[in-house]
Amino acid sequence: MGVIKAVFIDRDGTIGGVEDKVLYPNEMIIFPEVEESIKRLKEKGLLILSFTNQPGISRGEANRDDFEVELKSIGFDRIYLCPHEHNTGCNCRKPLPGMLLQAAKENDLDLRKCVVIGDRWTDLVSAQEAGSIKILVQTGAEKKDLKKYEDGQYFGKYKEAYPDYIAANIKDAAQWILNQCKESS
């Protein structure tokens, strides 16, 4: 696995919110364990990066700056956000790896030494495409997406993107990462 350098964390369903409903920054309820988990990862020297699709920005329903303020206030170092609608042809919208590739270039990261944490299979596909370590948290859409996988409904890239670890929540995911860091030191 090598030494982990950075952690990409999805927003909706992973650090807060409710299943299948996007909550904008003034509505978002952050899960209680998030800030402490991010703090523990940062204390280990890991770069903490957001990794989120937010098409409400392109629809004029939300403001990019509000997302950046929200995410930085809970400990994110850098914000990677796709503001585009589905099917607009951008290369940053998950499941494409554009946000990960951009972050790797801007932060001199080897994506094989990065972890992606998310609650949706699109997070995992993006991570798989980039060669990153994949953690699926069970706090958002995970149960539905994992059932689709188990029922054989995924093919190709989606079938290949099985998580390296399935975590109960962000705290569990952070502890798994910290354990991996101990093993490689």
Side-chain angles (χ1 to χ4, degrees), residues 8 80 98-111:
F8 291 86
Y80 291 91
M99 285 186 275
L100 299 174
L101 298 173
Q102 178 187 355
K105 184 176 180 181
E106 291 177 5
N107 300 284
D108 193 29
L109 295 171
D110 177 346
L111 289 170

Side-chain angles (χ1 to χ4, degrees), residues 33-93:
E33 67 275 3
V34 170
E35 290 184 60
E36 179 63 25
S37 298
I38 289 174
K39 180 180 171 208
R40 290 181 65 216
L41 292 169
K42 288 176 81 161
E43 286 171 353
K44 192 67 177 169
L46 300 173
L47 188 62
I48 307 299
L49 308 162
S50 79
F51 171 66
T52 181
N53 289 342
Q54 295 299 334
I57 294 170
S58 66
R59 293 191 299 262
E61 298 169 359
N63 179 301
R64 182 184 201 106
D65 291 342
D66 292 341
F67 283 101
E68 291 190 11
V69 167
E70 171 199 68
L71 293 166
K72 286 188 175 185
S73 76
I74 59 173
F76 283 85
D77 295 308
R78 298 215 172 79
I79 311 306
Y80 291 91
L81 181 152
C82 172
H84 305 107
E85 288 277 357
H86 298 277
N87 303 317
T88 58
C90 74
N91 69 346
C92 54
R93 187 171 179 80

Side-chain angles (χ1 to χ4, degrees), residues 98-149:
M99 285 186 275
L100 299 174
L101 298 173
Q102 178 187 355
K105 184 176 180 181
E106 291 177 5
N107 300 284
D108 193 29
L109 295 171
D110 177 346
L111 289 170
R112 295 170 298 180
K113 295 179 180 177
C114 296
V115 177
V116 170
I117 303 172
D119 70 313
R120 293 183 175 274
W121 222 260
T122 52
D123 300 316
L124 303 180
V125 173
S126 187
Q128 179 79 17
E129 290 290 297
S132 299
I133 301 159
K134 305 168 296 300
I135 297 179
L136 185 68
V137 291
Q138 300 179 65
T139 51
E142 173 275 335
K143 289 177 182 72
K144 179 175 60 178
D145 282 7
L146 186 58
K147 179 149 179 38
K148 283 182 182 178
Y149 183 90

